[in-house]
Amino acid sequence: MATAEPAADPAPAAGASRHRGGGLGRYLLVRFLLIFPTVLILVTVVFVLMRSTGDPITAALGGRLGPEQLKERIHAAGYDKPILVQYWHYVSGIAHGDFGTTITDHRPVTQVLTTFGSATLELAVYALVVAFLIGIPLGRIAAARRDKGPDAVLRVSAILAYATPVFFAGMVLKLVFAVWLNVLPVAGRATTRSILTMKTQGAGTGVYLIDAISTGDPAVVGDVLQHAVLPAVALGLLTAGVFLRLVRTNVIGTLQTGYVEAARSRGVSERRLLRTHAWRPALVPIITVIGLQVAMLLGGAVLTETTFEWKGLGFQLVQYLLARDFVAVQGMVALLAVIVAVTNFVVDVIAALVDPRIRY
């Protein structure tokens, strides 16, 4: 007599579901915890490099103060203590949000960040918008016309965009559009009139576009956008070249996968294959690279802001370097390291949500 088989135990399925949910939680926790050693390593490297030139007081004020005054300033700042003690005080201060005080103008580095950081943030967002608008559509076009004339032209253009120094691209753009054609401003973030209007009627965020919109004056908004075009294009072209090649490579690879070939055999058009089947899987590497590009944008912002007198963190960093104010430089670089580490964590979260395979 046949016996009935026991019913399947639903517990493994539930356990597998919990495992899948826990996979994302564990992945995000690990990525979050990695922020701390990453920042510590970067901060330590900056500290060692800054101390390799001697104490910051002597570097900034040596030759302008007498020996006794210099000695008093060094003792007051604690730079005559053993290097390990200085390092401990430095790291402890960062843990409490204290990145030091500048030597030349006696301002907390965090205040410098809040004063000039909004300008750099605004420029980075503009540059990312330019990179997306140029790099991603052209990358899809290059992939759709693989090994044809447009593909070859776009690939060469991407290499040129990536290889061209930001300051050189900025100078060429200024020469063409500000000097020869005289259609765009040559430098600055806005005219004096617009700045005064934003200070008196704007929201006071420090992000000029938001402040300009809050005034309700279309002329102020237009002025702010006109000043942003050349810096955004100069900085955005660098990242656009990276996005173009990355999109092209990943879309071509996705179009050769088995499930796309199966859809093609069913008569699905190439345009639909590109739009619905190949596009989303190709997005994951692009999202991952965005985190790396943020670091490049912040590095490029130093040259871009100097070229266009865009008074942000990069512009101010150059002024502190010229003044040999290494405390300010050290604090600003440490803050930028924190920003880059947090940005990469956010990118990892987005990538994990888009593609579940990343978390396993």
Side-chain angles (χ1 to χ4, degrees), residues 164-180 186 230-231 234 303-304 306-308:
T164 303
V166 174
F167 69 89
F168 180 76
M171 292 172 61
V172 171
L173 290 171
K174 288 172 65 173
L175 180 65
V176 174
F177 294 99
V179 179
W180 292 350
V186 68
L230 293 184
L303 297 175
T304 307
T306 305
T307 303
F308 291 95

Side-chain angles (χ1 to χ4, degrees), residues 184-252:
L184 291 171
V186 68
R189 297 178 64 194
T191 60
T192 304
R193 175 188 172 277
S194 296
I195 293 174
L196 291 175
T197 302
M198 287 185 288
K199 284 185 177 180
T200 56
Q201 304 176 23
T205 63
V207 178
Y208 274 15
L209 183 58
I210 296 176
D211 293 341
I213 294 173
S214 66
T215 64
D217 188 344
V220 176
V221 177
D223 180 55
V224 169
L225 290 176
Q226 284 182 350
H227 280 80
V229 171
L230 293 184
V233 172
L235 185 56
L237 283 176
L238 174 69
T239 307
V242 177
F243 283 173
L244 193 157
R245 291 182 62 84
L246 191 63
V247 169
R248 176 189 178 275
T249 301
N250 285 282
V251 169
I252 289 175

Side-chain angles (χ1 to χ4, degrees), residues 25-320:
R26 284 194 301 272
Y27 173 79
L28 297 182
L29 178 61
V30 170
R31 304 304 295 182
F32 176 75
L33 293 177
L34 284 175
I35 293 177
F36 300 99
T38 302
V39 171
L40 181 61
I41 292 172
L42 292 172
V43 163
T44 303
V45 171
V46 172
F47 177 86
V48 172
L49 291 176
M50 291 296 101
R51 290 302 188 278
S52 64
T53 60
D55 69 90
I57 301 293
T58 303
L61 303 177
R64 288 187 288 171
L65 294 178
E68 290 300 324
Q69 291 178 305
L70 198 61
K71 186 176 180 180
E72 290 177 4
R73 293 287 297 271
I74 292 173
H75 178 72
Y79 294 128
D80 56 350
K81 296 179 181 179
I83 190 69
L84 290 179
V85 175
Q86 295 182 43
Y87 175 74
W88 173 253
H89 287 312
Y90 174 61
V91 174
S92 300
I94 290 179
H96 292 87
D98 180 10
F99 287 83
T101 303
T102 63
I103 298 174
T104 51
D105 49 13
H106 306 290
R107 288 195 296 177
V109 175
T110 50
Q111 182 184 346
V112 175
L113 177 70
T114 55
T115 303
F116 298 98
S118 56
T120 300
L121 173 64
E122 188 174 13
L123 177 58
V125 171
Y126 288 149
L128 274 178
V129 170
V130 170
F132 282 132
L133 293 178
I134 295 176
I136 292 180
L138 293 183
R140 294 181 66 174
I141 293 173
R145 291 163 176 78
R146 180 185 181 187
D147 297 331
K148 296 180 181 178
D151 179 30
V153 172
L154 289 173
R155 277 188 289 169
V156 172
S157 301
I159 294 173
L160 290 175
Y162 181 75
T164 303
V166 174
F167 69 89
F168 180 76
M171 292 172 61
V172 171
L173 290 171
K174 288 172 65 173
L175 180 65
V176 174
F177 294 99
V179 179
W180 292 350
L181 301 179
N182 194 26
V183 294
L184 291 171
V186 68
R189 297 178 64 194
T191 60
T192 304
R193 175 188 172 277
S194 296
I195 293 174
L196 291 175
T197 302
M198 287 185 288
K199 284 185 177 180
T200 56
Q201 304 176 23
T205 63
V207 178
Y208 274 15
L209 183 58
I210 296 176
D211 293 341
I213 294 173
S214 66
T215 64
D217 188 344
V220 176
V221 177
D223 180 55
V224 169
L225 290 176
Q226 284 182 350
H227 280 80
V229 171
L230 293 184
V233 172
L235 185 56
L237 283 176
L238 174 69
T239 307
V242 177
F243 283 173
L244 193 157
R245 291 182 62 84
L246 191 63
V247 169
R248 176 189 178 275
T249 301
N250 285 282
V251 169
I252 289 175
T254 308
L255 287 173
Q256 296 174 345
T257 56
Y259 71 91
V260 173
E261 291 292 344
R264 185 180 286 116
S265 66
R266 294 196 302 269
V268 179
S269 66
E270 290 296 323
R271 177 175 296 182
R272 185 178 178 186
L273 284 174
L274 178 63
R275 185 177 65 250
T276 61
H277 292 75
W279 177 233
R280 182 172 175 179
L283 273 178
V284 177
I286 300 170
I287 295 172
T288 304
V289 168
I290 289 175
L292 301 176
Q293 294 307 307
V294 168
M296 292 187 61
L297 287 175
L298 292 174
V302 175
L303 297 175
T304 307
E305 291 177 3
T306 305
T307 303
F308 291 95
E309 297 181 21
W310 185 282
K311 294 185 178 180
L313 284 178
F315 182 85
Q316 195 64 24
L317 183 62
V318 172
Q319 306 308 311
Y320 284 131

